[in-house]
Amino acid sequence: MSRRWWGLVALVIGGILVRGVQPGAVIGSPTVDGYGTQWFYWFAGEVAAGRQALDRTDLLFHPWGKDLFAHTGNNLVDAWVALPLRTLFGPVAGYDLWIALLLATNAVGGALLARRVGATAWPVAALALVVNPYVLAEIDLGRPTQAWLFPGALALWGLTGSRREAAIGGAALAVCGWTYWYRSEEPSELQSHSDLVCRLLLEKK
């Protein structure tokens, strides 16, 4: 049964990709944030290749340059995760495959949270972190950083488990904070949403 449900999740993700793939262009609309995402993903590759420094660049805000830690916290976590795919498959196909991986890990995060509270309808939770207006809108607007809910879900899962799982959750929480400046609040937001759903279900009963 689990394989069938994960097959359904895979089909949904595949459908999103088929709907969003554009010849010669990455998934999403041509927005300012989208251009910025592609620039930073490219920049991560330049840093990895030793052609740019990790802490500062003169390629932005000439003639002053940009302090990457002081200005944006050097939040290139998703760019680093996507880098192997972009290196192997190119900037377009590699980015699209990263979106597929992002959605897949979101589904895993939803399933982990549902199973943590003993919910049998974990496939619904898995799909909820894949097919929802927020995630799909962020991907379309070129903001995969905000659409990647897996670190927050993993943090919440870990912080409600054993000591070993709590260590994993703490690391995931740190990743949340480094991924984007306000993302450290994401686990509490997911908890609030989960509580709201549970209350609504209890009221119906």
Side-chain angles (χ1 to χ4, degrees), residues 9-205:
V9 171
L11 284 175
V12 170
I13 294 174
I16 294 172
L17 293 179
V18 170
R19 179 68 178 82
V21 165
Q22 310 168 70
V26 298
I27 289 176
S29 302
T31 64
V32 172
D33 285 340
Y35 294 142
T37 292
Q38 296 306 317
W39 190 91
F40 276 106
Y41 276 38
W42 165 83
F43 180 76
E46 294 295 292
V47 172
R51 291 187 288 266
Q52 291 289 330
L54 178 62
D55 60 336
R56 183 177 180 80
T57 180
D58 292 325
L59 299 177
L60 293 174
F61 306 126
H62 180 79
W64 305 282
K66 177 181 174 74
D67 185 326
L68 293 169
F69 282 99
H71 189 195
T72 52
N74 201 266
N75 50 335
L76 298 173
V77 175
D78 54 316
W80 298 124
V81 177
L83 182 58
L85 294 173
R86 285 170 49 87
T87 302
L88 290 173
F89 301 101
V92 175
Y95 178 80
D96 291 350
L97 287 172
W98 157 237
I99 295 301
L101 179 61
L102 179 156
L103 293 173
T105 55
N106 277 7
V108 171
L112 286 174
L113 288 180
R115 286 177 167 175
R116 170 66 76 209
V117 298
T120 56
W122 62 264
V124 177
L127 287 173
L129 292 194
V130 174
V131 186
N132 67 73
Y134 171 75
V135 168
L136 296 181
E138 292 300 309
I139 290 174
D140 182 56
L141 292 171
R143 297 194 292 251
T145 306
Q146 285 90 321
W148 195 27
L149 302 181
F150 174 69
L154 186 63
L156 183 56
W157 169 84
L159 296 176
T160 55
S162 65
R163 289 185 178 180
R164 179 175 177 274
E165 291 167 346
I168 296 174
L173 183 61
V175 169
C176 283
W178 195 14
T179 301
Y180 207 68
W181 64 271
Y182 66 81
R183 293 291 297 278
S184 57
E185 300 176 359
E186 188 170 284
S188 62
E189 293 173 357
L190 287 171
Q191 179 67 60
S192 298
H193 296 159
S194 300
D195 290 345
L196 177 60
V197 171
C198 290
R199 288 181 182 180
L200 290 174
L201 291 175
L202 289 173
E203 287 177 1
K204 287 185 178 181
K205 290 183 179 181

